[in-house]
Amino acid sequence: MKTRDKILLSSLDLFNERGERNVTTNHIAAHLAISPGNLYYHFRNKSDIIYEIFLEYEKLVDFYLDIPENRPITLDDLTFYLESVFDGLWSYRFFHRDLEYLLDSDQRLRQDYREFTNRCLTAISRIFEKLAEAGIIEPQPEELRSAMSLNVWLVITNWMAFLKTAHASEASASLTLTELKQGIYQVLTLEIPYLTADYREQVMTLREKYRPRFPDSADALVSGQGEPIGNH
Amino acid sequence: MKTRDKILLSSLDLFNERGERNVTTNHIAAHLAISPGNLYYHFRNKSDIIYEIFLEYEKLVDFYLDIPENRPITLDDLTFYLESVFDGLWSYRFFHRDLEYLLDSDQRLRQDYREFTNRCLTAISRIFEKLAEAGIIEPQPEELRSAMSLNVWLVITNWMAFLKTAHASEASASLTLTELKQGIYQVLTLEIPYLTADYREQVMTLREKYRPRFPDSADALVSGQGEPIGNH
DNA sequence: CTATTATTAGAGTATATACTCTAGGTAGTC
DNA sequence: GACTACCTAGAGTATATACTCTAATAATAG
């Protein structure tokens, strides 16, 4: 593998693991056992590394959120979208953590991210539209659909931060992809009232699969279990 | 005013304005025209300053979210809660921006914030419960109420980040309290499907007051205006 | 083989950051 | 007026950070 690609990969790993703020270019070089000079031969600065990583992230999500227009949407499609988006979020999880600082430091990134967000919101809205066409949810006026899409976006992009700040009692407590995907439960919660009678059961069953199981008693009120959860 | 209090005030201002990451203890001292030594006489380190600011924030929100148990809840109460929470969010807006880093740097803060979040979630859930008792929304099983409360929390705490990252096209674009309060529109969107027939009109009217009016055309799709918005 | 280009090492640097240390001032009390 | 507790200045420091510079080495093309 080319040094350049190794730098991108290691950077992503370290950023995800420790947070962009805690990872210096020297750290990245040291982790790869290359010299700082070498790193700066391939990238002009830290922002450029981050920007390239963002482009990968963007490409991945754009690929996942490509809505097929030649056929109706299915529940499997919905599951795929949700799973994929959370997979992407997981792989590039450092990004949303320091988002505001990153955008302040790089105008290109700000512009691109802005457009990226708008594309995602459009895609989410389009998914709602197609879910209605497929008879899975009741159709809604565009204005409501847009506001709902934005709420879905807010829940998706910030579920991880919630887990890391409110759930884990220690900084070191590592998050798992499984926990992250409990965000799907939250997203499906948003859709419950709009489900059609025909599909309500199916979606509720799907949702149940992602139901959070917090082992920590302090969080019991978060999941609001009516009945006790089994030990595991 | 005591130097100690001036330090807290200036720190909060600077943090809000520039982000905690971009504000050093030397900056704070310089801004107050006091010596670094003086600052460190009053606070052991930067974390301590942040921690004390958090305690103020916590106190403020706890005060706002004190739910009166001796009378039914009204729509005015709901408006008050929403307005107050967003006011608090505004006054301490630096906090949620760098939350993860802040919690990683201070275990006390992590613990306190965790409990704070749980209190807020309980309060939100309790508000839903009382809204149902007052006949404003349909009653919901506890499990759903908890999940909804969490979604409300996610939308509230991350609305600002959304505005700053997706809405503003420049870092310098300053956010206004008015824009921030458009988050109330998003929160009320979550409640729409649960409104009772008796109150639907009233709440929808309330919601309409907070409807976002993005002047920037690139964001038109975000607000999803069916009809064009007037220039202003 | 040679000339050129691409890659790498590693020492070094300017700046910043959080924080310390000492000496001195100020305000109140007896 | 002296004692004491509190407060402040400001120079200074250890460490870190992003990044540079030069020289050497590998890869490639002719």
Side-chain angles (χ1 to χ4, degrees):
Chain A
M1 184 186 283
K2 295 231 169 200
T3 302
R4 189 187 157 81
D5 295 327
K6 282 198 273 187
I7 292 170
L8 288 173
L9 260 181
S10 273
S11 299
L12 178 57
D13 280 353
L14 291 172
F15 289 160
N16 279 340
E17 193 74 25
R18 304 180 202 171
E20 176 272 340
R21 187 172 178 174
N22 300 315
V23 176
T24 73
T25 49
N26 291 350
H27 286 146
I28 299 167
H31 185 254
L32 279 169
I34 66 172
S35 63
N38 193 356
L39 186 147
Y40 278 90
Y41 170 79
H42 291 285
F43 294 94
R44 282 209 334 238
N45 51 43
K46 197 180 170 185
S47 274
D48 275 8
I49 298 177
I50 292 164
Y51 184 66
E52 293 233 5
I53 293 177
F54 166 72
L55 290 181
E56 288 173 8
Y57 175 46
E58 192 181 23
K59 208 163 76 180
L60 186 75
V61 175
D62 279 344
F63 172 76
Y64 283 150
L65 287 186
D66 184 41
I67 321 290
E69 292 294 346
N70 56 347
R71 59 169 178 81
I73 204 172
T74 66
L75 257 188
D76 283 345
D77 287 323
L78 180 62
T79 312
F80 171 79
Y81 292 139
L82 288 168
E83 285 272 347
S84 302
V85 164
F86 277 91
D87 278 336
L89 222 50
W90 173 256
S91 303
Y92 296 85
R93 58 191 179 278
F94 86 94
F95 190 70
H96 288 277
R97 173 174 170 165
D98 285 302
L99 189 55
E100 288 193 48
Y101 176 83
L102 298 178
L103 301 195
D104 280 350
S105 317
D106 188 339
Q107 281 306 304
R108 267 180 321 177
L109 188 60
R110 175 175 291 278
Q111 178 66 25
D112 285 15
Y113 180 76
R114 193 174 133 87
E115 288 162 10
F116 172 71
T117 304
N118 280 329
R119 279 202 307 282
C120 289
L121 287 170
T122 307
I124 296 169
S125 188
R126 184 72 189 118
I127 290 171
F128 275 131
E129 213 170 9
K130 295 207 73 171
L131 284 172
E133 285 167 17
I136 296 172
I137 64 171
E138 303 290 346
Q140 303 299 332
E142 195 202 331
E143 186 277 323
L144 178 59
R145 202 166 0 102
S146 293
M148 280 170 56
S149 302
L150 184 42
N151 279 338
V152 167
W153 175 254
L154 290 171
V155 169
I156 287 177
T157 54
N158 295 292
W159 173 247
M160 174 126 46
F162 169 76
L163 281 180
K164 293 221 269 186
T165 58
H167 180 205
S169 54
E170 290 171 38
S172 57
S174 57
L175 218 59
T176 64
L177 183 55
T178 311
E179 284 173 301
L180 182 64
K181 289 204 173 168
Q182 291 164 356
I184 296 177
Y185 181 86
Q186 290 302 126
V187 174
L188 290 177
T189 299
L190 296 172
E191 303 184 11
I192 290 177
Y194 301 97
L195 295 171
T196 58
D198 285 355
Y199 281 89
R200 173 168 294 268
E201 278 301 307
Q202 277 186 70
V203 176
M204 292 305 276
T205 307
L206 175 65
R207 174 170 175 266
E208 198 56 33
K209 285 191 193 136
Y210 297 102
R211 181 175 185 152
R213 309 259 151 187
F214 296 113
D216 190 327
S217 64
D219 284 309
L221 60 113
V222 170
S223 61
Q225 308 294 338
E227 47 199 17
I229 46 178
N231 301 331
H232 56 287
Chain B
M1 183 187 282
K2 296 232 170 199
T3 301
R4 190 188 157 82
D5 295 327
K6 282 198 272 186
I7 292 170
L8 288 174
L9 260 181
S10 274
S11 299
L12 178 57
D13 280 352
L14 291 172
F15 289 160
N16 278 340
E17 194 73 26
R18 304 181 203 171
E20 176 271 342
R21 186 171 180 174
N22 300 316
V23 175
T24 73
T25 49
N26 290 352
H27 286 146
I28 299 167
H31 185 255
L32 279 169
I34 66 172
S35 64
N38 194 354
L39 187 147
Y40 278 91
Y41 170 77
H42 291 286
F43 294 94
R44 282 209 334 236
N45 52 41
K46 198 180 170 184
S47 275
D48 275 8
I49 298 177
I50 292 163
Y51 184 66
E52 293 233 5
I53 293 177
F54 166 72
L55 291 181
E56 289 174 8
Y57 176 45
E58 193 181 22
K59 209 162 77 182
L60 186 76
V61 176
D62 279 344
F63 172 76
Y64 283 151
L65 287 186
D66 184 41
I67 321 289
E69 291 294 346
N70 55 347
R71 60 170 178 81
I73 205 172
T74 66
L75 257 189
D76 283 344
D77 287 324
L78 179 63
T79 311
F80 170 80
Y81 291 139
L82 288 168
E83 286 271 348
S84 303
V85 164
F86 277 91
D87 279 335
L89 221 50
W90 173 256
S91 303
Y92 296 85
R93 59 191 177 278
F94 86 94
F95 190 71
H96 288 277
R97 174 174 170 166
D98 285 302
L99 188 55
E100 288 193 48
Y101 176 83
L102 297 179
L103 300 194
D104 280 349
S105 317
D106 188 340
Q107 281 306 303
R108 267 178 322 177
L109 188 60
R110 175 174 290 279
Q111 178 66 26
D112 285 14
Y113 180 75
R114 193 175 133 87
E115 288 162 10
F116 172 70
T117 304
N118 280 328
R119 279 202 306 282
C120 290
L121 287 171
T122 306
I124 296 169
S125 188
R126 183 72 189 118
I127 290 171
F128 274 131
E129 213 169 8
K130 294 207 73 170
L131 285 172
E133 285 167 17
I136 296 172
I137 64 171
E138 302 289 347
Q140 303 299 331
E142 195 202 332
E143 185 276 325
L144 179 58
R145 198 161 9 96
S146 293
M148 279 169 57
S149 303
L150 184 43
N151 279 339
V152 167
W153 174 253
L154 290 171
V155 169
I156 288 176
T157 54
N158 295 293
W159 173 246
M160 173 126 46
F162 170 76
L163 281 180
K164 294 221 270 185
T165 58
H167 180 206
S169 53
E170 290 170 38
S172 57
S174 57
L175 217 59
T176 64
L177 183 54
T178 310
E179 285 174 301
L180 182 64
K181 289 205 173 164
Q182 291 163 357
I184 295 177
Y185 182 85
Q186 291 301 128
V187 174
L188 291 178
T189 300
L190 296 172
E191 302 184 11
I192 291 178
Y194 301 98
L195 295 171
T196 58
D198 286 355
Y199 282 89
R200 172 167 295 268
E201 278 301 309
Q202 278 186 67
V203 176
M204 292 305 276
T205 307
L206 175 65
R207 173 170 176 265
E208 198 56 33
K209 284 191 195 135
Y210 297 102
R211 181 173 184 153
R213 307 259 152 185
F214 296 112
D216 190 328
S217 64
D219 284 308
L221 60 110
V222 171
S223 60
Q225 307 294 340
E227 48 200 17
I229 45 179
N231 301 330
H232 57 286

